[in-house]
Amino acid sequence: MDCRWFKDQQELLVLDTWKRQWEAGTEKAKSGNDNSEALPESIPSAPGTLPHFMEEPDDAYIIKSNPIVLRCKAMPAMQIFFKCNGEWVHQNEHVSEESMDEATGLKVREVFINVTRQQVEDFHGPEDYWCQCVAWSHLGTSKSRKAAVRIAYLRKNFEQDPQGKEVPIEGMIVLHCRPPEGVPAAEVEWLKNEEPIDSNLDENIDTRADHNLIIRQARLSDSGNYTCMAANIVARRRSLSATVVVYVNGGWSSWTEWSSCNARCGRGWQKRSRTCTNPAPLNGGAFCEGMSVQKITCTSLCPVDGNWEVWSEWSVCSPECEHLRVRECIAPPPRNGGKDCEGLSQESENCTEGLCIQDKKPLHEIKSQNMENASDIALYSGLGAAVIAVAVLVVAVTLYRRSQSEYGVDVIDSSALTGGFQTFNFKTVRQGNSLLLNSSMQPDLTVSRTYSGPICLQDPMDKELMTESSLFNPLSDIKVKVQSSFMVSLGVTERAEYHSKAHSGTFPHGNTRGFGTIHARNKATYIQNLSPISAKSELKTAAVFGHLGGRLVIPNTGVSLLIPHGAIPEESSWEIYLAITQRESSLQPDGPDVLLGPEVSCGPSDVSVSTPFALTIPHCAELNSEHWNIHLKKKTQQGKWEEVMSVEEETTSCYCLLDPYACHILLNSFGTYALIGEPISDCAVRQLKVAVFGCMSCNSLDYNLRVYCMDNTPCAFQEVVSDEKLQGGQLLEEPKLLHFRGNTFSLQISVLDIPPFLWRIKPFTACQEVPFSRVWCSNQAPLHCAFSLERYTPATTQLSCKICVRQVKGHEQILQIQTSILENERETITFFAHDDTNFAAQMGPKAFKIPYSIRQRICATFDTPSAKGKDWQMLAQKNSINRNLSYFATQSSPSAVILDLWEARHQHDGDLDSLACALEEIGRTHSKISNITETEMEEADFSYSRQNGL
């Protein structure tokens, strides 16, 4: 109370001092200028009027180090002074201006002061720095409002940045934003793809709720990058961008009509299909669940052709001297589209042998008429016989003349002969005037050693034209020279001549005939073509095998099963199956472990073989023992998976040999097996095959691109091809290999270089990103990303673009797409390098590349102990089998198991050259195997054996 009174008294004292100074100045002005007009003693004012503020000081903010100006304007006022934080501002800091109000004639005074940043920072009080105007007149004082002065700022970091979202179409999107702290408080603005968002123009968007952005129903056009902008008088701040992806889950189209029954007669099936295009999955949306094709059984009624019943009895003779008999087509009648009976349904004939009176004529007239008819028939018969006799005579003369002529005839024997891959030249020798072929004339067939390819080993047990002592027997009377130190040691004479019976006859002079490995029983040659698989291949095959063994192959999957000779007991036959689990496997690896290949089943599981069989399973790992630890697992009868072995460990229960793209496993029991890879480091590489398919959509202007990333195994690719064929997809470019590392970085798939004036892609859908876990732990399910392109006009039929598939901080592949969207103009791309569709099952010796007789001799040679240990060990080393040799030591014939493993590894190429080279090297190392000296061999024959194998 005392402090306030003191301040009021101080203000009155100051004002009184100002008043006296002003009055003194006025008197001085009067005395100094008597001739001038006298100034008024006081400022004229309306009676009873206090100073009125025409302008009061406003709140102000100091930006950086720039001072601010506070102004005050009052009328009428003798003096105006500022007071800041309760302290009077010195008179020298004021800038005053005076003017006269023209309307009232009153004096108007305006005062300015500057406030610096230092003044505000030095003030420490319970409230903000403030300033106030005090105006004085004769009647008293008036005070203005208090103006706050603050230092303006805006911090750099947002208290909350917006976060990216993936939302389904028509879902709600809420992006939160809390701007940085600042004075004055920052205002928030939202940007979409660097363009401001105006919620007044779009009722679906609301930006008024506490700086948040709300999109009530997400649309595809709402996908994009959203940024929160905060700004005040000091600065503008930008938040991190949030990517919003509006995805569309795939939806099935309507089912097509059921197709007609595929069986014209009896039991068959009919199908209907649907596509995942209503809508097609976009922006990583889920693919449709369920089957795209449905099949049901149907039964078509078999057509039954009609058949006549037996003729009826002749009817009673009619007045016209005829009687009738009839039959009906009812035994059985035609039904279900069957054919009608052929022929007449009734017959008629004379029933009185001409004795009946017809048309009221006498009997003798009728008889005379019948006699004339009989004479005509006799005349015509005689003429016909004469013509036939003349024709017979002419033919006889012609044949007689031909039999007297002498000339030679060349005959080409078209029977299939057994031979190697080489070409043989057959020449005939005419002696005088040759006659027709006779059994005493045999062709002189000679074959020189001008071979261009490997000799095909023929098995004497399976090929009828081979003798017991021979290793090769291409043709009859063909002399084949094969010399090899190793082959001689197996009992082959130095210059063996192999003979077989030839068909009687001669071959045309200069004719060249090529023979492949064809059976002697005139079997047709199989020509292997590169062609796509069928639209729906069953990933299962089965066949009956006996003591001779055989091979099972699931076409175009890389999965095969080799049953060695003797694995099944004699006089027994087993039905053995081989199958691949389609779609996702039942095996769920733990942690970072990866399923490297398909889940393969073989059986029956309740039987066991006497010698190991070879199971081949493809894999997708880039082999490196420093990066991978690969295990073999087996499924128990209870459905659980147990580990059989690690590929690198030593065991005698089974054997695993890893090739770059397949694993060959020697086993004694059937069951379900799978390969599991445990990554040891981030450098472990999983090989993915990238393929692009395309097809037209329901909208004639749209074209769908589907990019698949699948394991680099034939079976994974076959599954994709089968699904795409059902959807009408076409392979647009040869698949490429992507090395996907286990470094936790994601996979990005994008469409680039789309022709801007011909095609367009929906905004923000040209790039899709797949998380690392979804790629690495896909469990055999192929990854699929869809892109929808739209033509501007139907006239555009060519599409050119690039598909970029890359792992962040990893490998990248670019597929150049150059195709026609019209099916009749599109170039067909081959799916598989090896089309083994026709070789699903091979039984007996045909399933093996090495003939059984040679196989026996190899085993007899290498299973025998030598001074340097078991020779089969060198056979294993020469065939790149260097580890876990203890497994082979436990077998009754180690060499036979090694050769079985060789057969499994070379089922497609049958590389007998490499085996021959390995045997030759061993033959030179163990010189005692050879029973002949170097002088007994011709150098040319030795080089031939090196070039052409066994």
Side-chain angles (χ1 to χ4, degrees), residues 143-158:
K143 295 181 181 180
S144 69
R145 61 179 296 274
K146 290 182 179 181
V149 180
R150 299 183 181 90
I151 298 176
Y153 68 92
L154 183 63
R155 301 197 183 280
K156 292 184 178 180
N157 296 326
F158 278 71

Side-chain angles (χ1 to χ4, degrees), residues 10 254 331 386 499 592 748 905:
Q10 187 180 12
S254 300
H499 304 275
Q748 293 179 347
R905 299 176 69 184

